[in-house]
Amino acid sequence: MTIAARTAKPSQFLKGATGDWEVVIGLEVHAQVASNAKLFSGASTAFGGAPNDHVSLVDAAMPGMLPVINEECVAQAVRTGLGLEAQINLRSVFDRKNYFYPDLPQGYQISQYKSPIVGEGIVHLDMEGGETVEVGVERLHLEQDAGKSIHDLSPTSTYVDLNRSGVALMEIVSKPDMRSADEAKAYLSKLRTILRYLGTCDGDMDKGNMRADVNVSVRKPGGALGTRCEIKNVNSIRFVGQAIDYEARRQIGIIEDGGTIKQETRLFDPGKGETRSMRSKEEAHDYRYFPDPDLLPLEFGQDWVDALKAELPELPDAKKARFVSQYGVTPYDAMVLTLERASADFFEEVARGRDAKIAANWVINELFGRLNKEGKGIEASPVSAAQLGGIIDLILDGTISGKIAKDLFEIVWTEGGDPKELVESRGLKQVTDTGAIEAAVDAVIAANPDKVEQAKAKPTLAGWFVGQVMKQTGGKANPQAVNEILKAKLGLE
Amino acid sequence: MTDLTALTLAEARDALKAKRLTATELTDAYLAAMERARVLNAFVLETPEKARAMAAASDARIAAGEAGPLEGLPIGVKDLYCTEGVRTTACSRILGNFVPPYESTVTANLWADGAVMLGKLNNDEFAMGSSNETSAFGTVTNPWRRRNPDGSIDPTPLVPGGSSGGSSAAVAARLCIGATGTDTGGSIRQPAAFTGTVGIKPTYGRCSRWGIVAFASSLDQAGPFARTVRDAAILLKSFASVDPKDTTSVDLPVPDYEASVGRSIKGKVIGIPKEYRVDGMPAEIESLWAQGIEWLKAAGAEIREISLPHTKYALPAYYIVAPAEASSNLARYDGIRYGLRVPGDDITDTYELTRASGFGAEVRRRIMIGTYVLSAGYYDAYYVRAQKVRTLIKRDFDIAFAAGVDAVLTPATPSSAFGIGEKSGGDPVEMYLNDIFTVTVNMAGLPGMVVPGGLDAKGLPLGLQLIGRPFEEETLFQVGEVIEQAAGRFTPEAWW
């Protein structure tokens, strides 16, 4: 979709003193390639370790050292390109981006400038309310990460840790297709999901393994594009949203006050929730890009791409569509279930041979709810798919009620164990014996003659009796049977 | 034996193999010669202890019947090659006392084949120069001196060429049996021509660049200096290898180059490019070239005039491409991790002070040129156009080779060796013009070899250059040996 073609919905407009404004957003996401070794050296990419533990002669840019491309990183970039439905370029070129900085040992970053490995692609967003938005991917290229400068170890010196120096990054550049902070957050979130499905990036934003440069401009709805500002290195999805909201407001304020937006690079301060100027366009580096003469153009065959494609896992969009058609769940539930590959697998295991809607309900509401509350990932779930399936089976065959099932879920979560055995050993079995239920109903009726009279006048009071009976039976009475017997005895039919 | 250093590499090899000579005797003879010749300033670091230990190890291997192809042969190493545990500076102050913890692939190949390291040889700083005058260790004096018309010696010290001036001087003065060089625009061939030695720049990709301090990555290539064509062939066999650490090195079998030495050149087609007849070329160079043609014709080669129409653009294009790459390659010398650091008030100040005092004037000039031609707004006008010229130069050669030319014969240099200081004072282009016949070969990535062709009226050596098809160095050795046989060999009279 072209920039001009897509105008935000009026509900996305920002209100200013002079009327409505539309925000235009593009993202450059840096995603660390999941690989054991760096992009051009054999050094480890493991997180942590003492400073400068994972540094080879190449990473430290010793004299005479040469880069050698890591084939696995190339494969990961191609897989990612395929996951973004993008064009894979069978020939791409590595360039040098020249600038001086202590944590950039070579004095240049090896990147891809004019000929990236991946061309145009698409990311599909499912917005709340069932709306779908397509965001174009402009390109994806491979490049080296820099090291880290540490300024707080000494009052007079800066220390440099080169562990990250040379680690492979994918820079994924979107088109300026997003029109709200929510869309930008949804894009980043979806991109993260796709990368994690593919196994090409762990998406861990806390460790800086995925971070975004956010380009923001504002314009009158559908009008000419405004001057953009780039907010560098935002490292959480939430911050991306905050940064956009702040920046759009800031730009609208300036323009409405008769000012103009200067093209510049800005930083987001999460503490203050604001962006501030880092450097203007005039101060921008002249990177003197040119093809790296140490590296031949990167070339591979279509067969290699096809082989990688054949091994790709089912991706979130396809899985979501399948869940809707195969399991009859709603598109929204399908989206939630497929956010993580492991969650989707978990759901499928629970749903196998069972009512899929009930399974989806339990997985989303009980399990995900509980996991979120405790900040746990699906991998760390104390309740396995088999256990959750066992609980659902007990509901479906009438052994326990839905309410007891929730208690049982709690027991399995905290103590573990086989749901069926737990129901036996803890006496959680539902009472379906009408004799026992009748006795309990009789006892409640006998003890509350006044309520019986009231109930006859106001049948909704029957609910109170159900509650009393359930209490008497420790919640184990089959609620349907209680209802029927009560109604008969109270003469409500 | 009287003077062991007079033996060619092939002769010494055979004598060692026949146990008529030990590696230790040969090495001691060279160490003594090096000591006597310190006035030439060819070596910037002598490693006698290492040499003796390596020689002893060679003798042990020879005794055990495990001799390698270069067993016991004493070699000098250009200071651009990183040598493990041995100071490597590229003859620049900016590397200070840098001692690499690794060995370049080419020198590792040589040591693996049994060669003995005598020390590190002088060169122009970062290989930028054509006279060895830009070295932080000072100039090298050419062992050759001019002869006055009355036959007396003119004591004016002459340059040995550059950038591999230490290598050329040391091989000519018999301070080592062979030496390593690097050639980015003529840095092996021009010094070989100035000293009457044989030097070959192999096809780009034939030798690994790993562990060699980079000047211009797309042009740099390692190659040997030797006293004879055969010796150069023996050395190149060890130099050449595919290297997984250098992805621009090429995985092609390394031929037995020595086997091509002495093979008939009957029927070979030798191209004579008319564009190499430049204005103001000394008559002596012109006549040497004609002489070379006659020699090859007499040996049965077919001589064919060819055209390489883009030759005249090669030098200016070279002086865009090479500095551009150098400006980026030398960015790593920033005073942060190794080598010289001159602390400043802040990081930018530290960079500026370090690089201003660490790099010499010529290196600074080329970094400035390179930075300029890559700058926004100038990139297309300079760098991109230079790369297009490069493609055209390569195509000129492709067309000639496709038409059946086996090798191209040209002069090596526009003059014989000049005096120290004669061309280094004023216009840098004066110096750059030295490379006029050699840069095309680097721009096209082809193999080129210089063989001594004779002496000029001043008694100084002149060289002839042979340019071959990619990876057909064998043809160069084959043809080069014919010239060598016809011209004879040239040795300076020791005056030091």
Side-chain angles (χ1 to χ4, degrees), chain A residues 21-65:
Chain A
W21 292 88
E22 185 185 9
V23 57
V24 176
I25 304 154
L27 257 57
E28 292 168 23
V29 174
H30 288 90
Q32 179 176 330
V33 174
S35 67
N36 295 324
K38 295 183 178 181
L39 184 53
F40 296 112
S41 85
S44 164
T45 57
F47 183 74
N52 298 309
D53 259 6
H54 307 308
V55 183
S56 75
L57 296 168
V58 174
D59 305 325
M62 300 301 270
M65 292 301 101

Short mmCIF file of all heavy atoms in Angstrom, two decimals, chain A residues 21-65:
data_model
loop_
_atom_site.label_atom_id
_atom_site.label_comp_id
_atom_site.label_asym_id
_atom_site.label_seq_id
_atom_site.Cartn_x
_atom_site.Cartn_y
_atom_site.Cartn_z
N TRP A 21 -4.85 15.53 13.23
CA TRP A 21 -3.51 15.20 12.71
C TRP A 21 -3.41 13.69 12.56
O TRP A 21 -4.00 12.94 13.32
CB TRP A 21 -2.42 15.69 13.67
CG TRP A 21 -2.32 17.18 13.73
CD1 TRP A 21 -3.02 18.02 14.55
CD2 TRP A 21 -1.48 17.99 12.92
NE1 TRP A 21 -2.66 19.32 14.30
CE2 TRP A 21 -1.71 19.33 13.31
CE3 TRP A 21 -0.55 17.73 11.91
CZ2 TRP A 21 -1.05 20.41 12.72
CZ3 TRP A 21 0.12 18.80 11.34
CH2 TRP A 21 -0.14 20.13 11.73
N GLU A 22 -2.62 13.31 11.59
CA GLU A 22 -2.37 11.89 11.35
C GLU A 22 -0.89 11.64 11.61
O GLU A 22 -0.03 12.42 11.17
CB GLU A 22 -2.72 11.58 9.90
CG GLU A 22 -2.61 10.10 9.55
CD GLU A 22 -2.84 9.86 8.06
OE1 GLU A 22 -2.92 10.84 7.28
OE2 GLU A 22 -2.92 8.70 7.68
N VAL A 23 -0.60 10.56 12.33
CA VAL A 23 0.81 10.25 12.58
C VAL A 23 1.25 9.14 11.61
O VAL A 23 0.48 8.22 11.32
CB VAL A 23 1.04 9.88 14.07
CG1 VAL A 23 0.16 8.71 14.49
CG2 VAL A 23 2.49 9.55 14.34
N VAL A 24 2.44 9.31 11.08
CA VAL A 24 2.98 8.33 10.11
C VAL A 24 4.24 7.73 10.73
O VAL A 24 5.15 8.45 11.15
CB VAL A 24 3.30 9.01 8.77
CG1 VAL A 24 3.94 8.02 7.81
CG2 VAL A 24 2.04 9.60 8.16
N ILE A 25 4.27 6.40 10.78
CA ILE A 25 5.34 5.72 11.51
C ILE A 25 6.00 4.64 10.65
O ILE A 25 5.33 3.89 9.95
CB ILE A 25 4.77 5.03 12.79
CG1 ILE A 25 4.04 6.06 13.66
CG2 ILE A 25 5.88 4.33 13.58
CD1 ILE A 25 2.98 5.45 14.52
N GLY A 26 7.30 4.61 10.71
CA GLY A 26 8.06 3.51 10.10
C GLY A 26 9.06 3.01 11.13
O GLY A 26 9.56 3.79 11.95
N LEU A 27 9.34 1.72 11.11
CA LEU A 27 10.24 1.14 12.10
C LEU A 27 11.45 0.48 11.45
O LEU A 27 11.32 -0.19 10.43
CB LEU A 27 9.50 0.08 12.92
CG LEU A 27 9.03 0.46 14.34
CD1 LEU A 27 8.14 1.66 14.30
CD2 LEU A 27 8.31 -0.71 14.97
N GLU A 28 12.62 0.71 12.05
CA GLU A 28 13.81 -0.06 11.68
C GLU A 28 14.13 -0.93 12.88
O GLU A 28 14.50 -0.41 13.93
CB GLU A 28 14.98 0.87 11.37
CG GLU A 28 14.77 1.69 10.11
CD GLU A 28 15.79 2.82 9.98
OE1 GLU A 28 16.88 2.73 10.57
OE2 GLU A 28 15.47 3.80 9.29
N VAL A 29 13.94 -2.23 12.72
CA VAL A 29 14.14 -3.13 13.85
C VAL A 29 15.48 -3.84 13.69
O VAL A 29 15.79 -4.38 12.63
CB VAL A 29 12.99 -4.16 13.92
CG1 VAL A 29 13.27 -5.19 15.00
CG2 VAL A 29 11.67 -3.44 14.19
N HIS A 30 16.27 -3.80 14.75
CA HIS A 30 17.51 -4.56 14.77
C HIS A 30 17.26 -5.83 15.56
O HIS A 30 16.95 -5.77 16.75
CB HIS A 30 18.63 -3.76 15.44
CG HIS A 30 19.12 -2.63 14.60
ND1 HIS A 30 18.58 -1.37 14.65
CD2 HIS A 30 20.08 -2.59 13.64
CE1 HIS A 30 19.19 -0.59 13.78
NE2 HIS A 30 20.10 -1.29 13.15
N ALA A 31 17.39 -6.98 14.89
CA ALA A 31 17.15 -8.25 15.55
C ALA A 31 18.43 -9.07 15.51
O ALA A 31 19.00 -9.29 14.44
CB ALA A 31 16.03 -9.00 14.83
N GLN A 32 18.89 -9.47 16.69
CA GLN A 32 20.11 -10.28 16.72
C GLN A 32 19.82 -11.66 16.15
O GLN A 32 18.89 -12.33 16.57
CB GLN A 32 20.63 -10.39 18.16
CG GLN A 32 21.88 -11.24 18.23
CD GLN A 32 22.48 -11.31 19.62
OE1 GLN A 32 22.36 -10.37 20.40
NE2 GLN A 32 23.12 -12.41 19.93
N VAL A 33 20.64 -12.08 15.21
CA VAL A 33 20.46 -13.38 14.57
C VAL A 33 20.78 -14.48 15.59
O VAL A 33 21.83 -14.43 16.25
CB VAL A 33 21.40 -13.53 13.36
CG1 VAL A 33 21.32 -14.93 12.78
CG2 VAL A 33 21.06 -12.49 12.30
N ALA A 34 19.88 -15.44 15.73
CA ALA A 34 20.16 -16.57 16.59
C ALA A 34 21.19 -17.45 15.90
O ALA A 34 20.92 -18.05 14.86
CB ALA A 34 18.87 -17.36 16.86
N SER A 35 22.40 -17.47 16.42
CA SER A 35 23.47 -18.30 15.86
C SER A 35 24.51 -18.48 16.94
O SER A 35 24.57 -17.69 17.88
CB SER A 35 24.11 -17.60 14.65
OG SER A 35 24.80 -16.44 15.07
N ASN A 36 25.32 -19.52 16.79
CA ASN A 36 26.33 -19.77 17.82
C ASN A 36 27.53 -18.86 17.67
O ASN A 36 28.20 -18.54 18.63
CB ASN A 36 26.79 -21.23 17.77
CG ASN A 36 25.65 -22.18 18.11
OD1 ASN A 36 24.82 -21.85 18.96
ND2 ASN A 36 25.59 -23.30 17.42
N ALA A 37 27.82 -18.48 16.41
CA ALA A 37 29.02 -17.69 16.17
C ALA A 37 28.64 -16.36 15.52
O ALA A 37 27.55 -16.18 14.99
CB ALA A 37 29.99 -18.46 15.28
N LYS A 38 29.58 -15.43 15.57
CA LYS A 38 29.35 -14.08 15.05
C LYS A 38 29.26 -14.08 13.51
O LYS A 38 29.55 -15.07 12.86
CB LYS A 38 30.47 -13.16 15.54
CG LYS A 38 30.44 -12.99 17.07
CD LYS A 38 31.51 -12.02 17.55
CE LYS A 38 31.42 -11.84 19.08
NZ LYS A 38 32.43 -10.88 19.58
N LEU A 39 28.92 -12.92 12.96
CA LEU A 39 28.65 -12.84 11.52
C LEU A 39 29.91 -13.10 10.68
O LEU A 39 29.84 -13.75 9.64
CB LEU A 39 28.07 -11.46 11.19
CG LEU A 39 27.64 -11.18 9.75
CD1 LEU A 39 26.69 -12.25 9.21
CD2 LEU A 39 26.98 -9.81 9.63
N PHE A 40 31.05 -12.61 11.14
CA PHE A 40 32.26 -12.77 10.34
C PHE A 40 33.43 -13.36 11.11
O PHE A 40 34.57 -13.29 10.67
CB PHE A 40 32.69 -11.43 9.75
CG PHE A 40 31.70 -10.86 8.78
CD1 PHE A 40 30.99 -9.71 9.08
CD2 PHE A 40 31.48 -11.46 7.55
CE1 PHE A 40 30.07 -9.17 8.18
CE2 PHE A 40 30.57 -10.95 6.65
CZ PHE A 40 29.86 -9.79 6.96
N SER A 41 33.18 -13.90 12.30
CA SER A 41 34.27 -14.53 13.04
C SER A 41 33.70 -15.73 13.76
O SER A 41 32.50 -15.85 13.92
CB SER A 41 34.90 -13.57 14.05
OG SER A 41 34.18 -13.57 15.27
N GLY A 42 34.57 -16.61 14.22
CA GLY A 42 34.11 -17.82 14.88
C GLY A 42 33.79 -17.61 16.36
O GLY A 42 33.41 -18.55 17.05
N ALA A 43 33.90 -16.37 16.85
CA ALA A 43 33.71 -16.14 18.28
C ALA A 43 32.27 -16.41 18.70
O ALA A 43 31.34 -16.23 17.91
CB ALA A 43 34.11 -14.72 18.66
N SER A 44 32.11 -16.80 19.96
CA SER A 44 30.79 -17.14 20.48
C SER A 44 29.90 -15.91 20.62
O SER A 44 30.37 -14.80 20.84
CB SER A 44 30.96 -17.80 21.85
OG SER A 44 29.74 -17.82 22.53
N THR A 45 28.61 -16.15 20.49
CA THR A 45 27.64 -15.06 20.64
C THR A 45 26.92 -15.15 21.97
O THR A 45 25.97 -14.43 22.21
CB THR A 45 26.57 -15.13 19.53
OG1 THR A 45 25.96 -16.42 19.61
CG2 THR A 45 27.17 -14.94 18.17
N ALA A 46 27.39 -16.04 22.85
CA ALA A 46 26.70 -16.27 24.12
C ALA A 46 26.57 -14.96 24.89
O ALA A 46 27.48 -14.15 24.92
CB ALA A 46 27.44 -17.30 24.96
N PHE A 47 25.40 -14.78 25.51
CA PHE A 47 25.16 -13.59 26.31
C PHE A 47 25.90 -13.73 27.63
O PHE A 47 26.07 -14.83 28.15
CB PHE A 47 23.65 -13.43 26.55
CG PHE A 47 23.28 -12.18 27.30
CD1 PHE A 47 23.33 -10.96 26.67
CD2 PHE A 47 22.89 -12.25 28.63
CE1 PHE A 47 22.98 -9.80 27.36
CE2 PHE A 47 22.53 -11.10 29.32
CZ PHE A 47 22.59 -9.87 28.69
N GLY A 48 26.34 -12.62 28.18
CA GLY A 48 27.04 -12.67 29.45
C GLY A 48 28.50 -13.00 29.25
O GLY A 48 29.07 -12.74 28.21
N GLY A 49 29.12 -13.59 30.24
CA GLY A 49 30.55 -13.82 30.19
C GLY A 49 31.25 -12.55 30.63
O GLY A 49 30.68 -11.46 30.58
N ALA A 50 32.50 -12.68 31.06
CA ALA A 50 33.25 -11.50 31.48
C ALA A 50 33.48 -10.62 30.26
O ALA A 50 33.50 -11.11 29.13
CB ALA A 50 34.56 -11.93 32.10
N PRO A 51 33.65 -9.30 30.47
CA PRO A 51 33.91 -8.42 29.33
C PRO A 51 35.08 -8.95 28.50
O PRO A 51 36.08 -9.40 29.03
CB PRO A 51 34.25 -7.08 29.99
CG PRO A 51 33.52 -7.11 31.28
CD PRO A 51 33.55 -8.55 31.73
N ASN A 52 34.90 -8.89 27.20
CA ASN A 52 35.93 -9.29 26.23
C ASN A 52 36.30 -10.78 26.29
O ASN A 52 37.38 -11.17 25.87
CB ASN A 52 37.16 -8.39 26.36
CG ASN A 52 36.82 -6.94 26.07
OD1 ASN A 52 36.21 -6.65 25.04
ND2 ASN A 52 37.16 -6.04 26.97
N ASP A 53 35.37 -11.59 26.80
CA ASP A 53 35.56 -13.05 26.79
C ASP A 53 35.33 -13.63 25.40
O ASP A 53 35.96 -14.60 25.01
CB ASP A 53 34.54 -13.72 27.73
CG ASP A 53 35.14 -14.09 29.06
OD1 ASP A 53 36.32 -13.72 29.28
OD2 ASP A 53 34.45 -14.74 29.87
N HIS A 54 34.38 -13.04 24.67
CA HIS A 54 34.00 -13.61 23.38
C HIS A 54 34.50 -12.73 22.25
O HIS A 54 33.72 -12.12 21.52
CB HIS A 54 32.47 -13.77 23.29
CG HIS A 54 31.87 -14.52 24.43
ND1 HIS A 54 32.33 -15.75 24.81
CD2 HIS A 54 30.86 -14.22 25.29
CE1 HIS A 54 31.62 -16.18 25.84
NE2 HIS A 54 30.73 -15.26 26.16
N VAL A 55 35.82 -12.61 22.16
CA VAL A 55 36.41 -11.71 21.17
C VAL A 55 37.51 -12.43 20.41
O VAL A 55 38.44 -12.95 21.01
CB VAL A 55 37.00 -10.45 21.85
CG1 VAL A 55 37.55 -9.49 20.81
CG2 VAL A 55 35.95 -9.76 22.71
N SER A 56 37.37 -12.51 19.11
CA SER A 56 38.41 -13.12 18.30
C SER A 56 39.32 -12.02 17.75
O SER A 56 39.06 -10.83 17.92
CB SER A 56 37.78 -13.88 17.14
OG SER A 56 37.34 -12.95 16.17
N LEU A 57 40.38 -12.44 17.08
CA LEU A 57 41.30 -11.47 16.48
C LEU A 57 40.58 -10.60 15.46
O LEU A 57 40.88 -9.43 15.30
CB LEU A 57 42.46 -12.22 15.80
CG LEU A 57 43.37 -13.04 16.73
CD1 LEU A 57 44.28 -13.96 15.92
CD2 LEU A 57 44.19 -12.13 17.62
N VAL A 58 39.61 -11.21 14.78
CA VAL A 58 38.84 -10.46 13.79
C VAL A 58 37.98 -9.40 14.47
O VAL A 58 37.93 -8.24 14.05
CB VAL A 58 37.95 -11.41 12.94
CG1 VAL A 58 37.04 -10.63 12.00
CG2 VAL A 58 38.82 -12.38 12.15
N ASP A 59 37.32 -9.79 15.56
CA ASP A 59 36.44 -8.85 16.27
C ASP A 59 37.21 -7.67 16.83
O ASP A 59 36.68 -6.57 16.96
CB ASP A 59 35.73 -9.55 17.45
CG ASP A 59 34.99 -10.79 17.01
OD1 ASP A 59 34.45 -10.77 15.90
OD2 ASP A 59 34.96 -11.76 17.77
N ALA A 60 38.46 -7.92 17.22
CA ALA A 60 39.27 -6.84 17.79
C ALA A 60 39.98 -6.06 16.69
O ALA A 60 40.73 -5.14 16.99
CB ALA A 60 40.28 -7.43 18.77
N ALA A 61 39.73 -6.43 15.43
CA ALA A 61 40.32 -5.74 14.28
C ALA A 61 41.84 -5.66 14.40
O ALA A 61 42.43 -4.60 14.24
CB ALA A 61 39.71 -4.35 14.11
N MET A 62 42.46 -6.82 14.65
CA MET A 62 43.91 -6.86 14.67
C MET A 62 44.40 -6.68 13.23
O MET A 62 43.68 -6.99 12.27
CB MET A 62 44.39 -8.20 15.24
CG MET A 62 43.92 -8.47 16.65
SD MET A 62 44.44 -7.25 17.86
CE MET A 62 46.00 -7.95 18.37
N PRO A 63 45.64 -6.21 13.05
CA PRO A 63 46.14 -5.99 11.69
C PRO A 63 46.11 -7.29 10.87
O PRO A 63 46.48 -8.35 11.37
CB PRO A 63 47.59 -5.54 11.93
CG PRO A 63 47.62 -5.01 13.32
CD PRO A 63 46.61 -5.81 14.08
N GLY A 64 45.67 -7.18 9.63
CA GLY A 64 45.71 -8.33 8.72
C GLY A 64 44.57 -9.32 8.89
O GLY A 64 44.55 -10.34 8.22
N MET A 65 43.62 -9.02 9.77
CA MET A 65 42.51 -9.96 9.96
C MET A 65 41.44 -9.72 8.89
O MET A 65 41.24 -8.61 8.43
CB MET A 65 41.91 -9.79 11.35
CG MET A 65 42.83 -10.23 12.45
SD MET A 65 43.32 -11.98 12.32
CE MET A 65 44.93 -11.85 11.62
#
